[in-house]
Each structure stands twice: as C-alpha cells, then as structure tokens.
Amino acid sequence: MPTNVRRSTRIALWLTSALALPGVALAQTVPPTEVAAADVDEGLADIVVTARKTNETLQDVPMSIQVLGQARLDQLQVQAFDDYVRFLPSVTYQTAGPGSARVYFRGVSSGENANHSSSQPTVGIYLDEQPITTIQGALDIHLYDIARVEALAGPQGTLYGSSSEAGTIRIITNKPDPSKFSGAFDFEVNKVTDGEFGYVAEGFVNVPLSDKIAVRAVGWYDKDAGFIDNVLATRRFPVSGILATTAPFVEDDYNDVETYGGRIALGIELDDSWTITPAIMGQKQRSDGFFGQESGRAKKRQVAQFNPEFNTDDWYQASLTIEGKVGDWSLTYAGAYLKRNIDGISDYSDYSYFYDALNGSGAYICDNAGNLVSPNQYIISKPRFTKQSHEFRIASPADKRLRLIAGLFYQRQKNGIEENYIIDNIADIITVKGTDSNIWLTKQVRVDRDYAVFGELAYDITDKLTLTAGTRVYKYDNSLVGFFGYAAGFSSRTGEAACFNTDGTTRRSNPAGTPVPNTVAGAPCINLDRRTKDTDWLPKVNLTYKINDDALVYATFSRGFRPGGINRRGTVEPYAPDVLDNYELGFKTSFADNKVRFNGAIYQLDWDDVQFSSLGENGLTIIRNAGNARIRGFEFDLNVQPTTGLTLGVSGSYNNAKLVTDFCASANSTQDCTIPGPGGAANSVLAPAGTRLPDTARFKGNAVARYEVEVRDGIDAHIQGAVVREGKRLGDLRPATRAIVGDFPGYTTVDLSVGFKTGRFSAELYGTNIFDVNGQTSRSVQCGESICGDPDGVTASGGIFYTYVIRPRTIGLKVGTKF
C-alpha cells in the first residue's frame, strides 16, 4: 500500500477511535493565569488569545497553548527570551549567548547547531502578526509593555507554515489606545553572584492624538552584569613552539551585555470597521566575552580565551497591519520588513592548536619570508540578514454555523554570510584572495523563499460538536551561492582550487579555464551554487465536543514540515524536507465557579526524514536526513485559587522521544544501513532504532504560588515563589559521540519575590535562582569530530568542551510608577 494511503487510513481510524472513547480527554498547557487583585472573588481571570488568528478566550480554543500574560510576565521577572522559556513546559532551548537560542517544542530536536547555512528552525516565532523567525538564532527581544506571550504546541502548519513544524511562539505587544493618555516608568538594580551590578530602565507612553488616532512609544536600556571570568593561561603550538597567552584578555565578569531599543506604533481608526497600525521596533545588543565555562577548570564559570570576543546584534522591523470588514467578512493584511546585522569577533585558537597537534598543520603557517608564525586563529563574523513577509487573509462571521478563514502568504529571507577565519601575518600565498590575512573565508548568499495558500473551515455539526478541517498548499525555493574554503596556495582540493569554470571544470582540474561570473561581492570566486525546491500540502483535522460551558474535549491530527535545503559543501547532496505528524487528544475544564482550571493533552508525534546536522570535513556543517523518530508525551496545567488573594499553579510536560529507524552513516531512501550510500560509500549504524533524541528532558515543569493582600488602605502587598525543574538531556543523537561530549544533568531553580504597590507606585525585591544552581543549557567544541577524531565520533575527539550555563543567583530591586 502506498505511504500516503496508509497514512490517510491511519488518520481516519485514529480519529474515529478517539471519538469513540468517552473517557479520553484532550489537551492544553497554560502556566498560572494572572489574577488582578480586584477580581479575586470572581475566580481566575479569562485570557483572550489570537492563536487561531481570531479573538477567543483561552479555555475555548481546542488546542495546546501556553500563555504568559502581561501581569505574569512582570511577576516572573521576564525581560528576555531565556526568562520566559523557563515557564513554558513544552518548550526547551539551547543557547551560546544572547541572540543565538535554538528553540524546541515537545522534544522535536535532533541536535541542530543553528549554523547560518544549516536547517531552518522547527519553531516559528512571531511579533504580533509578523514572523521574525531567523536561521541563526532567535531574536533576543527585550520584553516590556507586552500584552502576552503565546506558545502554540504541536505542528502549526496550516496557519503558520514552514518553520512552525513543531510549534509557534507569538509575542503580542500592547497597541495604541486613543481612549486615554497613559504611561509608566520602571527602574531596576540587581547583583549577580560571581558577577557585578546590572541596571534596567524602561518606560512607555500612550498618547491620543484624536478620538481615532493614538501613538504608543516604548523604550528600554538593560545592562546585564557578566559572571564568566577569563583566566590566565598559556599554550605552546606543537610544530612552531610559539607560545600563546590569554594575558592581554584576562578579566573577571567579562561577559556583560548591554541592550537598548524601542518600539513605536501608530493606531489609526479610519471608521468603525477599519484600523491601520504601522509600527517599527529596533534593538541593539552588545555582548562581550564568552558565555560558556571551560571543562576541567578548577572553578565554575571560568574560561581561557586567547583572543578578544564580542558580538553586536543590531536589528529593526517595520510592520504594517490593516484590519477591516467588508460586510460581515473580516479582512487582514500583515506585512513586515526585518533587517538584522551581526558583527562579532570570537576566539578560534582551540581549532588551530588541536589541528596542529594532530595533523601538523602549523608547518604550513609561515610569513612571506618563510618564518613560522603563530597559528593562533580568530573569527570575524559579519552576517547580514533581511526578511520580508506578506500575508492577506479573510474570515467569515464568527457567529455562523459554518466559518472560514483563508489566506495567501509569501516571505523571502536573505542571509548574506561572511565568516573571516584569520591568522595574523600569514604569507600572501596562503591568504584567501581579496582578504588581508584570512586562512579561510566563507562568503555566501542564502535565499529562502516561501509561498502558500492556506485555509481552515469549521462547521458546527451540533450545538456541542464542531468539525474543523484545514490545509496549506506550499512551495519553497531555496538557494545557496558563493565561496568557502582556503587559498589555492594552502589547499589543492578545496576553496579557490574548487572554484567553477564556465565549461564545468574547476580551477584544480583546469587552471586556465574561464571562471564563472562572480555574483557574490567579496568572494574571490564561486565554488558553490545549488538550489532546491518543492511543492506539497499540509492537512489538519480537529473535532471538538463542548460538554458544557466549563469543559470541552478535542481530537486533532495536524502536520508540520521544515523545508529542504543546500549543504554548503557542494559535493554533498541537498537535504530533503522533514515532516511531523501530530495525533493529539486534549481537554479544558473549569470548576468551582472558575476557581479551579485543569487542562491537559496527550499526543504522539511521528517525525519522518529527520534533518540531522553534524560537523564534517574542515569543520563544515553537513545536514542529512537521519531516518524517522517518534515522540509520545503529555502536558498538563492546573491553576487553583483556594482563597481570596492566593493563586497556585502547576504545569509540566513529559516527552519520550526516540528513533524508530536506524540512523545510517550514509543516508539512503530506505534507511537500511546494510545498503551502501551514494556512489557506493561505506555505511554503518550511527544510532540504532530506540535511541533517545537529544537536547530535551523527559520532564520539564514549574510551580508558582502567589499571595496578595491589602495590608492597609491603598497599599497592597504580595509574596511569590516559583520553582522550575529541567530534567536530564542527552548531549548527542549518536551514542558514540554522546559518550565523548557527555549529557546535560537535570537541575531545579527557585525564585522568590516580595513587594507592594500603592496608587501609582510599586516596589519589589526579588531573587532568581536563589540556590545558585549552575544549570547547563548547551555545549560546544571548536575542534570538530572529523578534524580531531573519527568522522562518526567513534574515537575520542580532541579539543576543549565549553558548557553554557544559566544565569547565577541574581538579587534585584525594582521600583516603578504608572500615570
């Protein structure tokens, strides 16, 4: 039976069986709902969300959503990406510092390294209506004057598209309000254990310009104290005997971060039916130093780096949202242009040292006079990213028995990649042409294009039973062109030697040939020019049964995908899309006059043709389709208001994620590791079926308790405690490599806060990570497996491992005023 027929039959049987089981419920996860002091007698407050691109209360949406509203974001000391992800049980992440986060939902991770020319993310991120998903790491947006953060678990393929394979995060800002003038200012000072002082200043103002027009302006400055020490160390390069030292760069707490930016939006109500909201948001973030601790150091939070390090992440997004009605139908246009420039310097001395020790490469690192020079290497990075997106959609009246939402979508992402690998004072013959002292250059242009038609149709079969069916027909068209590699004088196989001639030969085989036209400015020639495209469709089916006004159950099948792409080593074939099928049962319930809410979900995710990235020859990222995986899990959320002023919340997720086919060293269409790979390449099993997927704990959860009380007329006080548990995560998909790099131990953090507010003023003393847990989020090594060990990770890898850790204990004082 063909695969698509088997899958369709399985979907139909699964939905039929699910609806035949009256005791099975469906799911959603929401961290503790915020409750205003004035509303405590009325139970837990309702939250309005727009996950299905229309306004709905959270408890009425038959899907798994985790929401942090504005009050909860403030209460949990949320200011950046790392802060809010902690309280989303279905979401995990890895990061090597600000602006580099890789985000995962429900255990859907194979160990992606977020390289600029690797796979697109499995999780989409939106700012209001516009996508801000980027290839090289999530934007580290400072969160202030934010209405809510919505985390949509599971494939969101029909409404959100290609990079929402496993889920979508939406950051919803507060909009201009023409009904009143308002504003706020907030200030904070904090002290980090093993670090210095940090400072935050934030403010917004909402100014009505007329009864139909208002402007809202927001600004922030945030100085995060460093906590990693760069310590004194020396190393002697084996071939030359030249000594390198960290002495010029020794500094305590040297990974400080400075962030400032703003947002301004204009709200125009043309009439009772039409509104226009142009907005622009921008941020500049400079992070100094390194954010990992070095394995083997006597003390935690120490590292030895032999070159200066910093990173500036400068971006802005201009957006336009137009909403209106034609008759009873709603129309929406959402467009945006995002520009992101990153400039950085990073140490790459480990790579030079271990490459020299194992391969004797230092014998080739000379100046023009033939004298050996220090192989000490560093990287100057200058990626330039732009993204434009356009979506137009229509929606039928929400009060009809038959409802439709449909739209068109287009986006184009362009990543101008520039990575300069520099060894000072090297000879001209081994310097990449057109550079000052590059031993290696990556200069490429990556373009990812997405086109889609999408829609969902909902029909109320009865007053209690609703059927929703949706689809997205998509096309992607992705290309990568440019240069990577060494100078012709250093390598006779790669880099300049591999550049193309117009007759199909390379410089290596035909030095006298005519070079192909150079279309990438700054590249010495072109040795990579590939393109891949595909068209397909994504289905979704949902059945919802509303038991009463306080309870519903649902069953969902949904599919997400991630586009295929180009390997930057052009001799390696492009990788294919991977696809995620989601079978989910869920429930949402409220009890005791809305003072108890219990929501949950169980699900199975079938992940086919998993895209797996690893370091190959010359440390280049190689992406292959690694076989198939399955994730089985559940999510839950319980919120209780047992008495006036007291709210309790517990939420968590469990994921059992593993391969269901062998992962082969050389991919083939059947994932049979006994069959040779392309060109007869030798094959072997790198990870057998049953191997657990990396990066995500089996269990993640949190508990929050908050008590608010009026201590005297006009003065309200509060005390709050929060506990977050992150379980053990595996370090790599391949067991042999995992034995080298190790795993990430589980850890638990505790936060406490106490404060008061009176009229316009508020003050709060807080502590995060009270017990100063040194939780690990990710790990890296400069010396890749194919350079310092076996390409399959079978032998021990040379190199030093760096572990990136969570922020140490931080004690802070916040004061603010509203007007």
Side-chain angles (χ1 to χ4, degrees), residues 38-81:
D39 298 331
V40 291
D41 291 329
E42 300 176 7
L44 301 167
D46 288 331
I47 296 179
V48 175
V49 297
T50 53
R52 296 197 294 180
K53 305 203 173 186
T54 186
N55 290 333
E56 301 172 284
T57 60
L58 184 64
Q59 292 298 101
D60 290 333
V61 182
M63 63 188 299
S64 179
I65 315 174
Q66 306 163 15
V67 179
L68 297 173
Q70 180 171 342
R72 181 61 67 185
L73 292 169
D74 292 341
Q75 294 164 6
L76 296 175
Q77 321 305 329
V78 171
Q79 294 177 342
F81 176 87

mmCIF file of all heavy atoms in Angstrom, residues 38-81:
data_model
loop_
_atom_site.group_PDB
_atom_site.id
_atom_site.type_symbol
_atom_site.label_atom_id
_atom_site.label_comp_id
_atom_site.label_asym_id
_atom_site.label_seq_id
_atom_site.Cartn_x
_atom_site.Cartn_y
_atom_site.Cartn_z
ATOM 1 N N ALA A 38 -8.408 42.955 42.154
ATOM 2 C CA ALA A 38 -9.818 43.338 42.212
ATOM 3 C C ALA A 38 -10.733 42.212 41.754
ATOM 4 O O ALA A 38 -11.929 42.244 41.983
ATOM 5 C CB ALA A 38 -10.058 44.575 41.352
ATOM 6 N N ASP A 39 -10.170 41.177 41.076
ATOM 7 C CA ASP A 39 -11.003 40.142 40.502
ATOM 8 C C ASP A 39 -10.931 38.821 41.262
ATOM 9 O O ASP A 39 -11.489 37.826 40.833
ATOM 10 C CB ASP A 39 -10.574 39.871 39.043
ATOM 11 C CG ASP A 39 -10.755 41.102 38.165
ATOM 12 O OD1 ASP A 39 -11.656 41.899 38.488
ATOM 13 O OD2 ASP A 39 -10.007 41.248 37.179
ATOM 14 N N VAL A 40 -10.254 38.786 42.393
ATOM 15 C CA VAL A 40 -10.006 37.511 43.040
ATOM 16 C C VAL A 40 -11.279 36.816 43.477
ATOM 17 O O VAL A 40 -11.338 35.594 43.506
ATOM 18 C CB VAL A 40 -9.051 37.683 44.237
ATOM 19 C CG1 VAL A 40 -7.662 38.040 43.766
ATOM 20 C CG2 VAL A 40 -9.565 38.715 45.220
ATOM 21 N N ASP A 41 -12.331 37.543 43.808
ATOM 22 C CA ASP A 41 -13.567 36.919 44.232
ATOM 23 C C ASP A 41 -14.330 36.318 43.070
ATOM 24 O O ASP A 41 -15.276 35.567 43.265
ATOM 25 C CB ASP A 41 -14.453 37.937 44.958
ATOM 26 C CG ASP A 41 -13.862 38.333 46.307
ATOM 27 O OD1 ASP A 41 -13.184 37.489 46.917
ATOM 28 O OD2 ASP A 41 -14.079 39.481 46.728
ATOM 29 N N GLU A 42 -13.951 36.659 41.842
ATOM 30 C CA GLU A 42 -14.655 36.170 40.658
ATOM 31 C C GLU A 42 -13.940 34.989 40.019
ATOM 32 O O GLU A 42 -14.288 34.546 38.940
ATOM 33 C CB GLU A 42 -14.802 37.306 39.640
ATOM 34 C CG GLU A 42 -15.582 38.493 40.192
ATOM 35 C CD GLU A 42 -15.643 39.645 39.199
ATOM 36 O OE1 GLU A 42 -15.199 39.446 38.046
ATOM 37 O OE2 GLU A 42 -16.138 40.708 39.568
ATOM 38 N N GLY A 43 -12.923 34.462 40.664
ATOM 39 C CA GLY A 43 -12.202 33.331 40.110
ATOM 40 C C GLY A 43 -11.064 33.766 39.213
ATOM 41 O O GLY A 43 -10.710 34.940 39.122
ATOM 42 N N LEU A 44 -10.476 32.790 38.539
ATOM 43 C CA LEU A 44 -9.336 33.038 37.660
ATOM 44 C C LEU A 44 -9.776 33.852 36.451
ATOM 45 O O LEU A 44 -10.802 33.575 35.844
ATOM 46 C CB LEU A 44 -8.724 31.704 37.225
ATOM 47 C CG LEU A 44 -8.222 30.813 38.362
ATOM 48 C CD1 LEU A 44 -7.933 29.411 37.856
ATOM 49 C CD2 LEU A 44 -6.986 31.410 39.000
ATOM 50 N N ALA A 45 -8.981 34.832 36.100
ATOM 51 C CA ALA A 45 -9.351 35.744 35.019
ATOM 52 C C ALA A 45 -9.250 35.061 33.677
ATOM 53 O O ALA A 45 -8.390 34.211 33.434
ATOM 54 C CB ALA A 45 -8.452 36.977 35.051
ATOM 55 N N ASP A 46 -10.149 35.431 32.751
ATOM 56 C CA ASP A 46 -10.082 34.942 31.381
ATOM 57 C C ASP A 46 -8.934 35.626 30.646
ATOM 58 O O ASP A 46 -8.604 36.781 30.909
ATOM 59 C CB ASP A 46 -11.385 35.224 30.635
ATOM 60 C CG ASP A 46 -12.517 34.335 31.112
ATOM 61 O OD1 ASP A 46 -12.223 33.205 31.554
ATOM 62 O OD2 ASP A 46 -13.687 34.766 31.041
ATOM 63 N N ILE A 47 -8.328 34.902 29.711
ATOM 64 C CA ILE A 47 -7.287 35.458 28.857
ATOM 65 C C ILE A 47 -7.733 35.317 27.420
ATOM 66 O O ILE A 47 -8.145 34.236 26.988
ATOM 67 C CB ILE A 47 -5.944 34.738 29.056
ATOM 68 C CG1 ILE A 47 -5.430 34.955 30.478
ATOM 69 C CG2 ILE A 47 -4.909 35.205 28.053
ATOM 70 C CD1 ILE A 47 -4.119 34.250 30.770
ATOM 71 N N VAL A 48 -7.677 36.396 26.679
ATOM 72 C CA VAL A 48 -8.020 36.386 25.262
ATOM 73 C C VAL A 48 -6.754 36.133 24.457
ATOM 74 O O VAL A 48 -5.724 36.773 24.673
ATOM 75 C CB VAL A 48 -8.674 37.716 24.827
ATOM 76 C CG1 VAL A 48 -8.913 37.738 23.319
ATOM 77 C CG2 VAL A 48 -9.985 37.925 25.576
ATOM 78 N N VAL A 49 -6.826 35.188 23.525
ATOM 79 C CA VAL A 49 -5.689 34.853 22.675
ATOM 80 C C VAL A 49 -6.107 34.951 21.210
ATOM 81 O O VAL A 49 -7.298 34.992 20.887
ATOM 82 C CB VAL A 49 -5.162 33.429 22.971
ATOM 83 C CG1 VAL A 49 -4.648 33.331 24.398
ATOM 84 C CG2 VAL A 49 -6.224 32.374 22.707
ATOM 85 N N THR A 50 -5.110 34.965 20.342
ATOM 86 C CA THR A 50 -5.364 35.041 18.895
ATOM 87 C C THR A 50 -4.620 33.934 18.165
ATOM 88 O O THR A 50 -4.160 34.111 17.039
ATOM 89 C CB THR A 50 -4.959 36.418 18.345
ATOM 90 O OG1 THR A 50 -3.599 36.700 18.738
ATOM 91 C CG2 THR A 50 -5.859 37.511 18.867
ATOM 92 N N ALA A 51 -4.487 32.790 18.820
ATOM 93 C CA ALA A 51 -3.719 31.684 18.250
ATOM 94 C C ALA A 51 -4.282 31.223 16.917
ATOM 95 O O ALA A 51 -3.532 30.824 16.017
ATOM 96 C CB ALA A 51 -3.690 30.520 19.239
ATOM 97 N N ARG A 52 -5.617 31.253 16.765
ATOM 98 C CA ARG A 52 -6.233 30.840 15.506
ATOM 99 C C ARG A 52 -6.578 32.048 14.632
ATOM 100 O O ARG A 52 -7.451 32.002 13.785
ATOM 101 C CB ARG A 52 -7.468 29.988 15.782
ATOM 102 C CG ARG A 52 -7.139 28.689 16.481
ATOM 103 C CD ARG A 52 -8.267 27.685 16.396
ATOM 104 N NE ARG A 52 -9.473 28.115 17.129
ATOM 105 C CZ ARG A 52 -10.598 27.406 17.194
ATOM 106 N NH1 ARG A 52 -10.664 26.229 16.588
ATOM 107 N NH2 ARG A 52 -11.631 27.851 17.890
ATOM 108 N N LYS A 53 -5.852 33.145 14.870
ATOM 109 C CA LYS A 53 -5.961 34.374 14.079
ATOM 110 C C LYS A 53 -7.345 34.974 14.166
ATOM 111 O O LYS A 53 -7.857 35.588 13.233
ATOM 112 C CB LYS A 53 -5.545 34.125 12.628
ATOM 113 C CG LYS A 53 -4.133 33.526 12.542
ATOM 114 C CD LYS A 53 -3.448 33.759 11.230
ATOM 115 C CE LYS A 53 -2.010 33.280 11.290
ATOM 116 N NZ LYS A 53 -1.212 33.571 10.117
ATOM 117 N N THR A 54 -7.960 34.819 15.350
ATOM 118 C CA THR A 54 -9.195 35.485 15.710
ATOM 119 C C THR A 54 -9.230 35.574 17.227
ATOM 120 O O THR A 54 -8.565 34.793 17.924
ATOM 121 C CB THR A 54 -10.426 34.721 15.177
ATOM 122 O OG1 THR A 54 -11.608 35.483 15.433
ATOM 123 C CG2 THR A 54 -10.552 33.353 15.843
ATOM 124 N N ASN A 55 -9.967 36.513 17.802
ATOM 125 C CA ASN A 55 -10.028 36.686 19.250
ATOM 126 C C ASN A 55 -10.884 35.593 19.890
ATOM 127 O O ASN A 55 -12.056 35.426 19.528
ATOM 128 C CB ASN A 55 -10.609 38.061 19.600
ATOM 129 C CG ASN A 55 -9.666 39.185 19.247
ATOM 130 O OD1 ASN A 55 -8.451 39.010 19.217
ATOM 131 N ND2 ASN A 55 -10.209 40.364 18.966
ATOM 132 N N GLU A 56 -10.304 34.867 20.849
ATOM 133 C CA GLU A 56 -11.015 33.814 21.569
ATOM 134 C C GLU A 56 -10.484 33.753 22.992
ATOM 135 O O GLU A 56 -9.317 34.075 23.233
ATOM 136 C CB GLU A 56 -10.792 32.443 20.917
ATOM 137 C CG GLU A 56 -11.222 32.346 19.476
ATOM 138 C CD GLU A 56 -10.779 31.028 18.865
ATOM 139 O OE1 GLU A 56 -9.585 30.893 18.549
ATOM 140 O OE2 GLU A 56 -11.631 30.122 18.720
ATOM 141 N N THR A 57 -11.335 33.324 23.931
ATOM 142 C CA THR A 57 -10.824 33.084 25.277
ATOM 143 C C THR A 57 -10.033 31.781 25.272
ATOM 144 O O THR A 57 -10.331 30.844 24.528
ATOM 145 C CB THR A 57 -11.962 33.001 26.300
ATOM 146 O OG1 THR A 57 -12.836 31.935 25.948
ATOM 147 C CG2 THR A 57 -12.737 34.309 26.360
ATOM 148 N N LEU A 58 -9.031 31.748 26.116
ATOM 149 C CA LEU A 58 -8.105 30.626 26.140
ATOM 150 C C LEU A 58 -8.809 29.298 26.328
ATOM 151 O O LEU A 58 -8.477 28.298 25.673
ATOM 152 C CB LEU A 58 -7.095 30.856 27.270
ATOM 153 C CG LEU A 58 -5.977 29.845 27.413
ATOM 154 C CD1 LEU A 58 -5.086 29.869 26.193
ATOM 155 C CD2 LEU A 58 -5.169 30.150 28.660
ATOM 156 N N GLN A 59 -9.796 29.238 27.221
ATOM 157 C CA GLN A 59 -10.473 27.990 27.537
ATOM 158 C C GLN A 59 -11.374 27.503 26.408
ATOM 159 O O GLN A 59 -11.848 26.375 26.443
ATOM 160 C CB GLN A 59 -11.279 28.135 28.826
ATOM 161 C CG GLN A 59 -10.428 28.297 30.087
ATOM 162 C CD GLN A 59 -9.547 27.096 30.338
ATOM 163 O OE1 GLN A 59 -8.357 27.109 30.053
ATOM 164 N NE2 GLN A 59 -10.129 26.032 30.860
ATOM 165 N N ASP A 60 -11.621 28.339 25.405
ATOM 166 C CA ASP A 60 -12.472 27.940 24.280
ATOM 167 C C ASP A 60 -11.685 27.470 23.070
ATOM 168 O O ASP A 60 -12.273 27.061 22.070
ATOM 169 C CB ASP A 60 -13.371 29.117 23.858
ATOM 170 C CG ASP A 60 -14.435 29.437 24.887
ATOM 171 O OD1 ASP A 60 -14.822 28.510 25.626
ATOM 172 O OD2 ASP A 60 -14.868 30.598 24.964
ATOM 173 N N VAL A 61 -10.357 27.530 23.139
ATOM 174 C CA VAL A 61 -9.532 27.170 21.982
ATOM 175 C C VAL A 61 -9.138 25.700 22.085
ATOM 176 O O VAL A 61 -8.432 25.306 23.025
ATOM 177 C CB VAL A 61 -8.271 28.045 21.903
ATOM 178 C CG1 VAL A 61 -7.456 27.691 20.663
ATOM 179 C CG2 VAL A 61 -8.648 29.517 21.882
ATOM 180 N N PRO A 62 -9.553 24.854 21.144
ATOM 181 C CA PRO A 62 -9.264 23.412 21.233
ATOM 182 C C PRO A 62 -7.871 23.084 20.711
ATOM 183 O O PRO A 62 -7.694 22.375 19.713
ATOM 184 C CB PRO A 62 -10.355 22.796 20.352
ATOM 185 C CG PRO A 62 -10.600 23.837 19.299
ATOM 186 C CD PRO A 62 -10.434 25.165 19.992
ATOM 187 N N MET A 63 -6.893 23.572 21.387
ATOM 188 C CA MET A 63 -5.509 23.280 21.039
ATOM 189 C C MET A 63 -4.639 23.545 22.253
ATOM 190 O O MET A 63 -5.071 24.192 23.215
ATOM 191 C CB MET A 63 -5.036 24.120 19.844
ATOM 192 C CG MET A 63 -5.037 25.611 20.093
ATOM 193 S SD MET A 63 -4.704 26.591 18.605
ATOM 194 C CE MET A 63 -3.074 26.031 18.173
ATOM 195 N N SER A 64 -3.414 23.063 22.213
ATOM 196 C CA SER A 64 -2.494 23.219 23.331
ATOM 197 C C SER A 64 -1.790 24.557 23.240
ATOM 198 O O SER A 64 -0.989 24.786 22.338
ATOM 199 C CB SER A 64 -1.464 22.086 23.320
ATOM 200 O OG SER A 64 -0.558 22.230 24.372
ATOM 201 N N ILE A 65 -2.095 25.454 24.179
ATOM 202 C CA ILE A 65 -1.496 26.784 24.208
ATOM 203 C C ILE A 65 -0.995 27.066 25.620
ATOM 204 O O ILE A 65 -1.699 26.811 26.595
ATOM 205 C CB ILE A 65 -2.494 27.895 23.828
ATOM 206 C CG1 ILE A 65 -3.302 27.524 22.602
ATOM 207 C CG2 ILE A 65 -1.766 29.211 23.603
ATOM 208 C CD1 ILE A 65 -4.388 28.524 22.294
ATOM 209 N N GLN A 66 0.192 27.588 25.703
ATOM 210 C CA GLN A 66 0.736 28.074 26.965
ATOM 211 C C GLN A 66 0.823 29.592 26.852
ATOM 212 O O GLN A 66 1.334 30.104 25.865
ATOM 213 C CB GLN A 66 2.112 27.465 27.215
ATOM 214 C CG GLN A 66 2.118 25.948 27.154
ATOM 215 C CD GLN A 66 3.504 25.374 26.985
ATOM 216 O OE1 GLN A 66 4.489 26.054 27.183
ATOM 217 N NE2 GLN A 66 3.571 24.106 26.613
ATOM 218 N N VAL A 67 0.327 30.295 27.856
ATOM 219 C CA VAL A 67 0.229 31.748 27.779
ATOM 220 C C VAL A 67 0.815 32.400 29.024
ATOM 221 O O VAL A 67 0.530 31.979 30.148
ATOM 222 C CB VAL A 67 -1.237 32.210 27.606
ATOM 223 C CG1 VAL A 67 -1.318 33.734 27.564
ATOM 224 C CG2 VAL A 67 -1.842 31.625 26.335
ATOM 225 N N LEU A 68 1.637 33.405 28.809
ATOM 226 C CA LEU A 68 2.093 34.288 29.871
ATOM 227 C C LEU A 68 1.566 35.678 29.555
ATOM 228 O O LEU A 68 1.997 36.313 28.594
ATOM 229 C CB LEU A 68 3.627 34.301 29.947
ATOM 230 C CG LEU A 68 4.309 32.977 30.296
ATOM 231 C CD1 LEU A 68 5.814 33.112 30.157
ATOM 232 C CD2 LEU A 68 3.951 32.537 31.702
ATOM 233 N N GLY A 69 0.607 36.154 30.366
ATOM 234 C CA GLY A 69 0.048 37.472 30.157
ATOM 235 C C GLY A 69 0.936 38.560 30.736
ATOM 236 O O GLY A 69 1.967 38.296 31.368
ATOM 237 N N GLN A 70 0.527 39.817 30.545
ATOM 238 C CA GLN A 70 1.366 40.947 30.940
ATOM 239 C C GLN A 70 1.687 40.934 32.433
ATOM 240 O O GLN A 70 2.842 41.106 32.828
ATOM 241 C CB GLN A 70 0.681 42.260 30.576
ATOM 242 C CG GLN A 70 1.496 43.482 30.962
ATOM 243 C CD GLN A 70 0.918 44.768 30.404
ATOM 244 O OE1 GLN A 70 0.120 44.766 29.488
ATOM 245 N NE2 GLN A 70 1.324 45.891 30.974
ATOM 246 N N ALA A 71 0.680 40.697 33.267
ATOM 247 C CA ALA A 71 0.936 40.686 34.709
ATOM 248 C C ALA A 71 1.876 39.554 35.087
ATOM 249 O O ALA A 71 2.795 39.718 35.893
ATOM 250 C CB ALA A 71 -0.380 40.565 35.473
ATOM 251 N N ARG A 72 1.670 38.380 34.498
ATOM 252 C CA ARG A 72 2.522 37.244 34.826
ATOM 253 C C ARG A 72 3.955 37.464 34.346
ATOM 254 O O ARG A 72 4.918 37.086 35.031
ATOM 255 C CB ARG A 72 1.937 35.972 34.204
ATOM 256 C CG ARG A 72 2.718 34.721 34.484
ATOM 257 C CD ARG A 72 2.798 34.405 35.960
ATOM 258 N NE ARG A 72 1.508 34.055 36.523
ATOM 259 C CZ ARG A 72 1.286 33.836 37.802
ATOM 260 N NH1 ARG A 72 2.284 33.939 38.658
ATOM 261 N NH2 ARG A 72 0.087 33.543 38.241
ATOM 262 N N LEU A 73 4.140 38.086 33.202
ATOM 263 C CA LEU A 73 5.495 38.407 32.732
ATOM 264 C C LEU A 73 6.214 39.307 33.728
ATOM 265 O O LEU A 73 7.403 39.112 34.024
ATOM 266 C CB LEU A 73 5.434 39.088 31.361
ATOM 267 C CG LEU A 73 4.972 38.213 30.187
ATOM 268 C CD1 LEU A 73 4.701 39.081 28.955
ATOM 269 C CD2 LEU A 73 6.007 37.144 29.853
ATOM 270 N N ASP A 74 5.494 40.289 34.264
ATOM 271 C CA ASP A 74 6.095 41.177 35.263
ATOM 272 C C ASP A 74 6.397 40.425 36.558
ATOM 273 O O ASP A 74 7.462 40.588 37.168
ATOM 274 C CB ASP A 74 5.160 42.345 35.554
ATOM 275 C CG ASP A 74 5.020 43.292 34.373
ATOM 276 O OD1 ASP A 74 5.891 43.274 33.481
ATOM 277 O OD2 ASP A 74 4.021 44.044 34.328
ATOM 278 N N GLN A 75 5.474 39.589 36.992
ATOM 279 C CA GLN A 75 5.628 38.891 38.255
ATOM 280 C C GLN A 75 6.792 37.899 38.240
ATOM 281 O O GLN A 75 7.425 37.658 39.265
ATOM 282 C CB GLN A 75 4.328 38.160 38.599
ATOM 283 C CG GLN A 75 3.162 39.091 38.891
ATOM 284 C CD GLN A 75 1.825 38.378 38.852
ATOM 285 O OE1 GLN A 75 1.761 37.152 38.717
ATOM 286 N NE2 GLN A 75 0.744 39.137 38.970
ATOM 287 N N LEU A 76 7.074 37.326 37.068
ATOM 288 C CA LEU A 76 8.123 36.313 36.953
ATOM 289 C C LEU A 76 9.462 36.905 36.533
ATOM 290 O O LEU A 76 10.391 36.164 36.193
ATOM 291 C CB LEU A 76 7.695 35.232 35.954
ATOM 292 C CG LEU A 76 6.465 34.409 36.359
ATOM 293 C CD1 LEU A 76 6.072 33.463 35.233
ATOM 294 C CD2 LEU A 76 6.723 33.623 37.641
ATOM 295 N N GLN A 77 9.596 38.215 36.542
ATOM 296 C CA GLN A 77 10.852 38.912 36.218
ATOM 297 C C GLN A 77 11.299 38.618 34.783
ATOM 298 O O GLN A 77 12.482 38.488 34.486
ATOM 299 C CB GLN A 77 11.974 38.526 37.191
ATOM 300 C CG GLN A 77 11.590 38.350 38.634
ATOM 301 C CD GLN A 77 10.879 39.575 39.221
ATOM 302 O OE1 GLN A 77 11.133 40.701 38.825
ATOM 303 N NE2 GLN A 77 9.984 39.353 40.163
ATOM 304 N N VAL A 78 10.346 38.528 33.872
ATOM 305 C CA VAL A 78 10.663 38.203 32.484
ATOM 306 C C VAL A 78 11.078 39.461 31.729
ATOM 307 O O VAL A 78 10.327 40.436 31.667
ATOM 308 C CB VAL A 78 9.466 37.540 31.781
ATOM 309 C CG1 VAL A 78 9.720 37.410 30.278
ATOM 310 C CG2 VAL A 78 9.187 36.171 32.394
ATOM 311 N N GLN A 79 12.272 39.438 31.162
ATOM 312 C CA GLN A 79 12.753 40.552 30.358
ATOM 313 C C GLN A 79 13.327 40.098 29.018
ATOM 314 O O GLN A 79 13.436 40.906 28.104
ATOM 315 C CB GLN A 79 13.826 41.339 31.118
ATOM 316 C CG GLN A 79 13.306 42.043 32.356
ATOM 317 C CD GLN A 79 14.393 42.755 33.127
ATOM 318 O OE1 GLN A 79 15.579 42.475 32.944
ATOM 319 N NE2 GLN A 79 14.007 43.669 34.004
ATOM 320 N N ALA A 80 13.706 38.821 28.902
ATOM 321 C CA ALA A 80 14.356 38.345 27.692
ATOM 322 C C ALA A 80 13.903 36.923 27.398
ATOM 323 O O ALA A 80 13.157 36.299 28.158
ATOM 324 C CB ALA A 80 15.882 38.399 27.853
ATOM 325 N N PHE A 81 14.372 36.407 26.269
ATOM 326 C CA PHE A 81 13.975 35.086 25.800
ATOM 327 C C PHE A 81 14.210 34.012 26.851
ATOM 328 O O PHE A 81 13.331 33.190 27.140
ATOM 329 C CB PHE A 81 14.741 34.762 24.509
ATOM 330 C CG PHE A 81 14.487 33.385 23.990
ATOM 331 C CD1 PHE A 81 13.414 33.140 23.159
ATOM 332 C CD2 PHE A 81 15.304 32.325 24.344
ATOM 333 C CE1 PHE A 81 13.161 31.856 22.689
ATOM 334 C CE2 PHE A 81 15.066 31.045 23.880
ATOM 335 C CZ PHE A 81 13.995 30.816 23.045
#
